[in-house]
Amino acid sequence: MKRLALFLLAALTLHAQQRVEVSRDLWISAYSKEVEGNNGGSHRLKLKGIQEFFLIDFDPVPLRGKKIVKAQLHVHLASPEAPLRRTTVSTISQDWVEGTGSSYAKTPGASSFVWAKTGELRWGNNEPDITCVVCGEGGSLWGFGEASAPDAEGWQIIPIAPEVAQARLEGWSHGFYVIDDIGSEYTRDGNAVKFTNFVNRYVSSREDKRIHKPYFTLWLEDGAVEAPKAVNQVNPVAAGTLPPVPAISAVKPNLPSKDVFGRELASTHFFAAKGETIGFSVAGKPLVKAPDLGVKLYSMPKVGGMHDPLVPGDDSKSEDTFIELHVPKDATAGKHGGTVTVNGTVMPFTITVWNFTLPDRLSFLPQMNAYGLPGHARDYYRLAHEHRVVLNQLPYGWTGKVDEPAPKLGGDGKWDWTKFDAEFGPLLDGSAFADLPRGAVPVDAYYLLLNENWPMKHDEHFKGGYWIESAFDEAYWTQFRDMAAEIAKHLEAKGWTEPMFEFYLNNKVYFKKDDWRKCTAAWIFDEPVHTQDFWAIRHYGREFWNAVAPYPKVNLTYRADISRPQWQRELLDHCVNVEVVSGVLRDYWPRIQRRAKACGNLYYMYGSANAIGTPNVTNAAWCVEAWSLGADGVVPWNTIGKDDAWQTPDELSVLYPTANGPVPSLRLKTFRAGQQLVEYLTQYCVVSGESREAVMAAVRATPGLSATLVKKNEEDAGKSQFGKDTQPAFEALRMRLGAYLDTKAPAPKDRWHDPRPTRPDLKKAREIVPLAVP
């Protein structure tokens, strides 16, 4: 009887396993010159990291009513030198057309990376590309796993998550999207390293010879299937109504003068909120009288024949002077007068102080990123603080070696923080800024020293491999968790709980180039590219948050700089809570905002400050545009000039070095102008009752306040390119909001919006377990 039962079970199992033929397949490309290409007629299918992928399908009708308990895709390898490794298979939540193209032909009506039907129908609701309907977007499902090693005849098996296959039977999916999760590989011989970027992996398509055609194997049984959860989509919000532009009579200047953006000054009747700083320049050496205002003068030397650095005080060599006017927070609302006198010519000016106040704590964070500071380090932080921006210096380099002073591990096993506290404590408690306009407000963001090689030693623990779960020994993670906890404990004990302390991994494996020792990263942490990179970032985050859980008072964050959010999936959800996204935020902001809302995240847009000699309004408008895309900050990727910035124009020199400490640039003033206008927007949302989303939509709909991204190459941070309508639109928006808030006279607040993110709840993160082929 027992033998009969086993026989019947084996027969049932055999009956449940079914080969299913491929009904259509297609290879598409995300490479810029091939995004409209169709390869539906090719005899091969191609995988190449995030650049090329294939779509494949079977006819689900004969299988309806069945439950899939196991699924596999069998493919014949056409690139023996580059077999498949870990691979993702996703559902596709929109139908597609196989087409008959080859060699990336633009085939009308067939599918490509950017078209569901080329020339006729875009993917999703007019979304940028296919990533809106695969790998977690648009209600899609995905799973990944290790492909089997090629057998003697060159066949490999790709595991498919049962729910991904089941979705095809139930009509929730329109086939399968397949992508390579490794993407790039390297080989190492001692310290010699050779990289192969974007490995070409080929398999046969259904157009190949019969014996090499791909096919599916499904294990089926009877049983009910639970419907997938509802799709979490963001519905478009109608644009709100902005206040009208007030009628203001201009008072023409009688001295050669320019506004803060470098254009001819239109009027000497200025407007400002309490706590705001404005400025303009004049030709010559002025005498300024403004008894109710704070006044600062800067000489304006030229670099390469163009103005940018501003030197406090009177420099007889400079022909022009920048005049800065600061409205004290206790100023009386209404008109205040002053004069500018140059060589006996008197130019009166008026400033109308609006009856609302800018907060001391920032609602929007222009973060001046830095990779090292010359002498007078604290003065750089003070200069940034004065200009309502945030200086944040990365305290380690490619090898993870940290800057001094750093905590030291003593022979007793305890960490000595004495020198670190003395140097950085005043920044973290705010006392370093007590005499500045915003008072003793601590720095908003501060990089932690913790990285992949400190205090652990990466190469002492690294075992190799592309997947982080098996790449290190347990001693590595023990040391990492211990240090994360030590940092959190110390910050909490010192009471430094207000700044955002950013755990951030900056290094990239390809920095190793020809020498393994050049960098300690085994993945691309900064601007991750492939699934293996996002997966590694995720793992570090989970270790970090578990380690610091006993110290909830500290405002700890885990930051990642993302240039390819379309390939991120939900891998960093409820893990990374600060995302610094490149200019492609303009294309993908709805999904980034959706994730931010669901996870409590903060996100910025990163790029570069404008080049010297191009319109300075760019930086101010960039702040406003980023806010209108849901971001709460911008990050110019490098902002500290070098000595030669005084001879050769350098767009990275937003803060100029001198022997006596840093001086500002004109462009730094324009970042402040942008930050201040975002404070207007933030107060307007609260006071008017309009939702931020509605006001964001109104700003996006305003001609001139949206830019295009200009990049030299894929790795370039890019610049925001605005047009001729930008400055008038910026100034009109400022007048609209300022006049409105003046009539409402809202009481001052310390902060109108807190951009700081919440700590992630790891329990809310999707548990993702790689599949394996038995």
Side-chain angles (χ1 to χ4, degrees):
M1 181 65 97
K2 183 176 180 181
R3 182 176 299 176
L4 177 60
L6 290 174
F7 174 79
L8 292 173
L9 178 60
L12 180 61
T13 303
L14 183 63
H15 177 73
Q17 181 178 339
Q18 185 168 336
R19 173 173 170 146
V20 180
E21 301 303 327
V22 169
S23 59
R24 54 179 177 163
D25 54 24
L26 165 64
W27 147 32
I28 58 176
S29 174
Y31 184 64
S32 58
K33 296 179 181 179
E34 301 165 353
V35 293
E36 294 187 288
N38 174 272
N39 293 294
S42 173
H43 69 284
R44 295 191 299 180
L45 300 171
K46 186 177 181 182
L47 294 179
K48 188 179 182 180
I50 61 168
Q51 286 190 351
E52 306 197 54
F53 353 85
F54 65 81
L55 283 55
I56 196 164
D57 198 11
F58 60 75
D59 181 4
V61 174
L63 305 173
R64 292 267 161 83
K66 296 292 185 179
K67 180 179 179 180
I68 298 177
V69 295
K70 182 178 175 182
Q72 295 176 345
L73 172 60
H74 300 251
V75 292
H76 186 265
L77 187 63
S79 56
E81 73 288 354
L84 275 57
R85 295 174 178 267
R86 188 174 293 189
T87 305
T88 286
V89 180
S90 168
T91 64
I92 309 170
S93 57
Q94 182 174 348
D95 205 0
W96 50 280
V97 180
E98 181 181 25
T100 58
S102 62
S103 301
Y104 309 102
K106 184 177 178 179
T107 307
S111 295
S112 61
F113 182 68
V114 296
W115 293 95
K117 294 182 180 179
T118 298
E120 299 177 25
L121 179 66
R122 301 285 300 205
W123 292 107
N125 183 20
N126 202 31
E127 294 288 334
D129 51 55
I130 196 174
T131 63
C132 69
V133 294
V134 298
C135 292
E137 290 297 317
S140 59
L141 307 170
W142 65 273
F144 68 169
E146 302 293 336
S148 66
D151 67 13
E153 295 179 351
W155 285 91
Q156 289 190 264
I157 301 173
I158 301 172
I160 303 174
E163 62 272 20
V164 170
Q166 188 69 47
R168 185 65 183 114
L169 269 59
E170 305 301 323
W172 306 324
S173 172
H174 299 274
F176 305 92
Y177 167 91
V178 184
I179 179 172
D180 164 31
D181 292 319
I182 294 286
S184 296
E185 300 180 357
Y186 63 84
T187 57
R188 177 188 179 189
D189 182 6
N191 289 317
V193 183
K194 181 180 178 181
F195 282 92
T196 305
N197 291 321
F198 291 101
V199 178
N200 293 310
R201 310 181 200 276
Y202 293 95
V203 298
S204 295
S205 76
R206 74 187 188 101
E207 280 75 23
D208 202 358
K209 59 181 70 174
R210 184 180 60 81
I211 61 170
H212 290 161
K213 290 183 178 183
Y215 64 93
F216 293 86
T217 300
L218 306 179
W219 283 258
L220 304 164
E221 65 180 30
D222 295 327
V225 177
E226 183 180 352
K229 295 181 180 179
V231 180
N232 184 13
Q233 293 181 323
V234 176
N235 295 319
V237 175
T241 302
L242 295 173
V245 180
I248 302 294
S249 57
V251 180
K252 293 201 177 227
N254 61 352
L255 288 171
S257 48
K258 295 183 178 180
D259 62 23
V260 69
F261 303 123
R263 287 194 177 185
E264 295 298 322
L265 191 64
S267 175
T268 58
H269 185 187
F270 304 111
F271 297 81
K274 298 176 184 181
E276 187 170 8
T277 303
I278 61 173
F280 61 97
S281 65
V282 296
K285 304 297 177 186
L287 174 65
V288 181
K289 293 184 179 180
D292 301 330
L293 306 173
V295 178
K296 264 192 175 183
L297 302 181
Y298 297 85
S299 62
M300 301 177 67
K302 291 183 178 180
V303 175
M306 296 176 286
H307 288 305
D308 192 50
L310 299 174
V311 180
D314 182 13
D315 179 0
S316 58
K317 297 179 182 179
S318 177
E319 299 175 355
D320 303 302
T321 303
F322 187 81
I323 301 168
E324 190 164 84
L325 304 175
H326 176 73
V327 180
K329 287 178 286 187
D330 59 358
T332 304
K335 289 186 177 181
H336 297 258
T339 59
V340 177
T341 304
V342 179
N343 296 329
T345 299
V346 179
M347 182 176 76
F349 67 86
T350 302
I351 183 167
T352 295
V353 176
W354 281 320
N355 199 13
F356 66 97
T357 307
L358 298 190
D360 290 333
R361 283 168 169 78
L362 305 182
S363 304
F364 183 88
L365 309 174
Q367 188 174 134
M368 304 292 108
N369 197 58
Y371 295 101
L373 297 175
H376 304 274
R378 190 173 298 176
D379 290 337
Y380 282 85
Y381 288 93
R382 284 175 51 83
L383 186 61
H385 197 281
E386 179 185 353
H387 286 81
R388 299 185 69 89
V389 302
V390 184
L391 181 71
N392 202 7
Q393 181 218 345
L394 187 71
Y396 63 86
W398 286 7
T399 62
K401 182 180 179 181
V402 298
D403 296 344
E404 297 294 341
K408 303 294 183 184
L409 184 62
D412 58 357
K414 296 182 179 179
W415 289 90
D416 182 358
W417 289 80
T418 305
K419 292 183 179 180
F420 178 93
D421 293 350
E423 178 69 19
F424 301 110
L427 306 177
L428 305 179
D429 64 20
S431 59
F433 314 116
D435 61 328
L436 297 179
R438 294 197 290 126
V441 175
V443 292
D444 295 86
Y446 189 85
Y447 285 121
L448 296 179
L449 296 162
L450 185 65
N451 64 74
E452 79 279 353
N453 197 45
W454 188 89
M456 315 78 62
K457 297 300 181 185
H458 180 277
D459 280 353
E460 292 180 9
H461 304 278
F462 185 64
K463 298 186 292 183
Y466 297 112
W467 298 100
I468 194 168
E469 61 266 37
S470 57
F472 292 106
D473 60 27
E474 183 55 30
Y476 178 88
W477 294 114
T478 298
Q479 292 179 43
F480 176 85
R481 289 189 294 265
D482 287 349
M483 193 63 215
E486 168 68 21
I487 291 171
K489 179 179 72 173
H490 182 75
L491 296 175
E492 187 172 286
K494 298 295 292 186
W496 297 332
T497 58
E498 187 168 345
M500 288 185 290
F501 291 99
E502 296 181 344
F503 168 48
Y504 169 66
L505 298 170
N506 179 69
N507 293 327
K508 307 180 183 185
V509 64
Y510 57 73
F511 286 168
K512 294 176 179 294
K513 294 182 178 176
D514 298 323
D515 190 336
W516 182 263
R517 295 165 296 186
K518 286 183 178 179
C519 177
T520 51
W523 295 274
I524 304 173
F525 292 128
D526 174 41
E527 301 176 308
V529 178
H530 305 291
T531 306
Q532 60 166 309
D533 305 319
F534 287 104
W535 189 249
I537 293 170
R538 171 190 172 94
H539 190 89
Y540 272 99
R542 293 166 79 84
E543 295 283 356
F544 176 77
W545 289 119
N546 282 322
V548 302
Y551 308 99
K553 295 180 182 179
V554 186
N555 191 15
L556 292 165
T557 64
Y558 182 29
R559 164 178 163 171
D561 288 11
I562 309 293
S563 60
R564 300 167 180 85
Q566 67 271 39
W567 306 112
Q568 183 174 333
R569 313 180 194 179
E570 66 269 46
L571 289 170
L572 304 184
D573 287 9
H574 305 289
C575 180
V576 166
N577 62 346
V578 174
E579 295 188 8
V580 182
V581 183
S582 73
V584 299
L585 177 67
R586 297 181 174 98
D587 297 320
Y588 299 105
W589 72 268
R591 71 181 72 172
I592 296 165
Q593 185 189 42
R594 186 197 71 227
R595 286 200 296 256
K597 286 186 173 183
C599 302
N601 291 357
L602 157 69
Y603 63 94
Y604 299 79
M605 187 196 297
Y606 81 81
S608 296
N610 67 295
I612 298 171
T614 63
N616 281 344
V617 72
T618 293
N619 304 317
W622 182 26
C623 293
V624 172
E625 182 199 25
W627 183 89
S628 78
L629 300 175
D632 283 322
V634 295
V635 180
W637 71 273
N638 199 1
T639 58
I640 308 301
K642 298 180 180 179
D643 290 342
D644 59 5
W646 289 94
Q647 287 76 45
T648 304
D650 178 11
E651 66 194 50
L652 303 181
S653 188
V654 180
L655 292 83
Y656 282 81
T658 76
N660 299 315
V663 299
S665 63
L666 276 169
R667 291 167 301 135
L668 181 60
K669 305 292 182 185
T670 64
F671 275 110
R672 177 173 60 192
Q675 198 285 330
Q676 291 176 156
L677 183 49
V678 173
E679 295 290 358
Y680 283 34
L681 285 161
T682 304
Q683 289 198 41
Y684 175 73
C685 291
V686 176
V687 174
S688 69
E690 291 266 20
S691 70
R692 174 170 174 176
E693 285 70 21
V695 179
M696 284 165 48
V699 172
R700 292 196 305 274
T702 303
L705 293 182
S706 294
T708 56
L709 177 65
V710 179
K711 299 180 68 170
K712 298 176 183 176
N713 52 55
E714 184 64 24
E715 303 305 321
D716 182 24
K719 295 183 179 65
S720 301
Q721 184 169 295
F722 290 90
K724 60 183 178 60
D725 296 331
T726 298
Q727 184 162 340
F730 182 92
E731 292 171 344
L733 179 62
R734 183 174 180 273
M735 292 302 298
R736 288 178 169 200
L737 300 173
Y740 174 87
L741 292 170
D742 180 50
T743 63
K744 300 298 182 180
K749 286 187 178 182
D750 191 47
R751 175 180 266 147
W752 285 84
H753 165 68
D754 191 345
R756 295 176 298 179
T758 58
R759 278 200 186 189
D761 182 353
L762 297 182
K763 295 178 182 177
K764 293 182 179 179
R766 175 191 168 193
E767 287 301 320
I768 305 170
V769 179
L771 303 167
V773 177

